[in-house]
Amino acid sequence: MADVKPIGKALFLREEELRRGIELMFFAYRDFTGEADWILAEKAMGRAHHRAIYFIGRHPGITVSNLLNILCITKQSLSRVLSGLMKDGYVIQKPGVTDRRQRLLFLTKIGIAFESRLTSMQARRFAAAYRGAGVDAVDGFQQVLHRLLDIDTISQMSQQDRLANE
Amino acid sequence: MADVKPIGKALFLREEELRRGIELMFFAYRDFTGEADWILAEKAMGRAHHRAIYFIGRHPGITVSNLLNILCITKQSLSRVLSGLMKDGYVIQKPGVTDRRQRLLFLTKIGIAFESRLTSMQARRFAAAYRGAGVDAVDGFQQVLHRLLDIDTISQMSQQDRLANE
DNA sequence: CTTAATTGGTCAGCATGGCTGACGTAAAAC
DNA sequence: GTTTTACGTCAGCCATGCTGACCAATTAAG
């Protein structure tokens, strides 16, 4: 890691600046997820449940395999979480219409309410940060985050967007 | 990507935009940490080891309690990780000079090499994203991330900066 | 000097949430 | 009719959080 010096408006790609980015990611993600953990603990749930609830709420009728692709965990791990969520009445399954092997996932009323409670908390944090930083900063934020993604993730996200706009 | 675009310079804090931020954080953090996990797996280590190595490398001579404050875990959890790292020769302890109860933490030669290998991987990812996005985007990225932090974390980070500049 | 507070380690036990391997079942595809 | 796909499930392993309790060395306060 060389100690490259900035010239004029050039980028500061010194180790120090890059480490700052790494640390900001670490702390921001920790604080961003930590807030929801409190609510989840009330219901004896963890982040795994949160992620499942979030993406089922985001893509109602998502298949198990699609959810697996998003979460990048094994089906055994997901299965444990999903069975818990169904037992507790947050999630229901319906057989697929075109392919009846599929079990399409939906949030129940209380699932929707719970998802909304969790997401609105995190959304408030983002809204405050966005408002404070301004439009241009938000744009830069999203640009950089997007460029931090693996190429696989990028195509995966745009695929989801396509599904969402059907 | 949502079809609705901001008009002029006004911020659109619609749910869609906020959810996009939430998801970008999730995926970016996943990809950002996932890369290092591969290397860590070779050495039979996990993220906990990575975090400890990173912050010891960042703040050589850090005390255990300071490291605990950064990581926000219990000393029992950290102790397990630290003993492993010392057993494997990545970390050493030295008694504090002013307060001999303290055990100041340092990376060994191989600890430094390993930290550098891990960090330079992540730094490369950041450098590429930063270069692609440009100075202004990077500034916005850092601004927004900073505003996503808890107030406690903000003061903690600036405190670390002060220590680093001694 | 004695006592209390601080710094840190450690043992025991528990929960969550990843993982693998193996096996089962229903439906679709060929 | 056989094979592949989509999904569930059982059993067990590992990493990494947690709590409570207890111990040792050292420092600070009375």
Side-chain angles (χ1 to χ4, degrees):
Chain A
M1 261 170 289
D3 202 36
V4 182
K5 287 289 166 195
I7 302 162
K9 269 260 177 182
L11 270 175
F12 265 91
L13 293 185
R14 291 170 304 106
E15 179 174 342
E16 192 59 29
E17 174 120 17
L18 296 171
R19 277 191 187 265
R20 176 160 187 82
I22 290 172
E23 288 164 28
L24 272 172
M25 274 296 280
F26 170 67
F27 290 116
Y29 190 77
R30 192 192 64 181
D31 290 354
F32 154 66
T33 55
E35 190 178 22
D37 291 351
W38 257 86
I39 299 183
L40 290 160
E42 290 174 14
K43 314 262 181 182
M45 292 196 225
R47 281 189 202 170
H49 299 82
H50 187 183
R51 290 193 284 267
I53 285 179
Y54 178 87
F55 284 107
I56 296 172
R58 182 76 157 138
H59 307 292
I62 191 175
T63 64
V64 173
S65 61
N66 278 338
L67 188 52
L68 282 175
N69 284 334
I70 290 177
L71 299 179
C72 286
I73 58 175
T74 59
K75 66 172 177 172
Q76 294 87 335
S77 297
L78 178 58
S79 180
R80 190 171 24 188
V81 170
L82 277 184
S83 354
L85 288 176
M86 294 194 303
K87 182 175 61 61
D88 295 346
Y90 292 96
V91 170
I92 49 164
Q93 289 180 336
K94 294 181 188 173
V97 267
T98 61
D99 186 339
R100 282 170 45 213
R101 290 172 303 182
Q102 297 177 336
R103 314 199 184 168
L104 310 183
L105 301 168
F106 297 88
L107 295 182
T108 61
K109 296 250 173 189
I110 70 160
I112 291 171
F114 192 48
E115 192 277 339
S116 171
R117 186 174 165 210
L118 290 166
T119 299
S120 64
M121 259 187 99
Q122 299 192 316
R124 261 195 295 279
R125 181 182 290 258
F126 268 86
Y130 278 15
R131 257 195 302 273
V135 211
D136 294 338
V138 169
D139 188 60
F141 171 72
Q142 295 188 346
Q143 269 189 55
V144 172
L145 274 190
H146 194 263
R147 287 171 187 275
L148 284 174
L149 301 175
D150 288 341
I151 30 168
D152 296 357
T153 307
I154 292 176
S155 57
Q156 185 195 299
M157 281 189 79
S158 53
Q159 200 176 347
Q160 283 170 229
D161 286 351
R162 252 177 281 131
L163 287 173
N165 292 339
E166 281 177 358
Chain B
M1 205 101 53
D3 36 345
V4 184
K5 279 288 153 198
I7 303 163
K9 282 268 179 179
L11 262 180
F12 263 86
L13 294 186
R14 292 170 306 103
E15 179 175 343
E16 191 60 29
E17 174 121 17
L18 296 171
R19 278 191 187 266
R20 177 160 186 82
I22 290 173
E23 287 164 30
L24 272 172
M25 275 296 281
F26 170 67
F27 290 116
Y29 190 77
R30 190 192 65 179
D31 291 353
F32 154 67
T33 55
E35 191 178 21
D37 290 351
W38 257 86
I39 299 182
L40 290 160
E42 289 174 16
K43 313 263 181 185
M45 293 195 226
R47 281 189 202 169
H49 300 83
H50 187 183
R51 290 193 283 266
I53 285 179
Y54 178 86
F55 284 107
I56 295 172
R58 181 77 156 138
H59 307 290
I62 191 175
T63 63
V64 173
S65 61
N66 278 338
L67 188 52
L68 282 174
N69 284 334
I70 290 177
L71 299 178
C72 288
I73 57 175
T74 59
K75 66 172 177 172
Q76 294 88 335
S77 296
L78 178 58
S79 180
R80 188 169 26 186
V81 171
L82 277 185
S83 352
L85 289 176
M86 294 194 302
K87 183 174 60 64
D88 295 347
Y90 292 96
V91 169
I92 49 164
Q93 290 180 336
K94 294 180 187 173
V97 266
T98 60
D99 186 338
R100 281 171 45 216
R101 291 170 303 181
Q102 298 177 334
R103 314 199 185 168
L104 310 184
L105 300 168
F106 297 87
L107 294 182
T108 62
K109 295 251 174 188
I110 70 160
I112 291 170
F114 193 48
E115 192 277 339
S116 171
R117 187 174 164 209
L118 290 166
T119 299
S120 63
M121 258 187 101
Q122 299 192 317
R124 259 196 296 279
R125 181 181 289 259
F126 268 86
Y130 279 14
R131 257 195 301 273
V135 211
D136 294 338
V138 170
D139 188 60
F141 171 73
Q142 294 188 347
Q143 270 189 53
V144 172
L145 274 190
H146 193 263
R147 287 171 188 275
L148 284 174
L149 301 175
D150 288 342
I151 32 169
D152 295 356
T153 307
I154 292 176
S155 57
Q156 185 195 301
M157 281 190 79
S158 53
Q159 200 177 346
Q160 283 170 228
D161 286 351
R162 252 176 280 132
L163 287 174
N165 294 339
E166 280 177 1

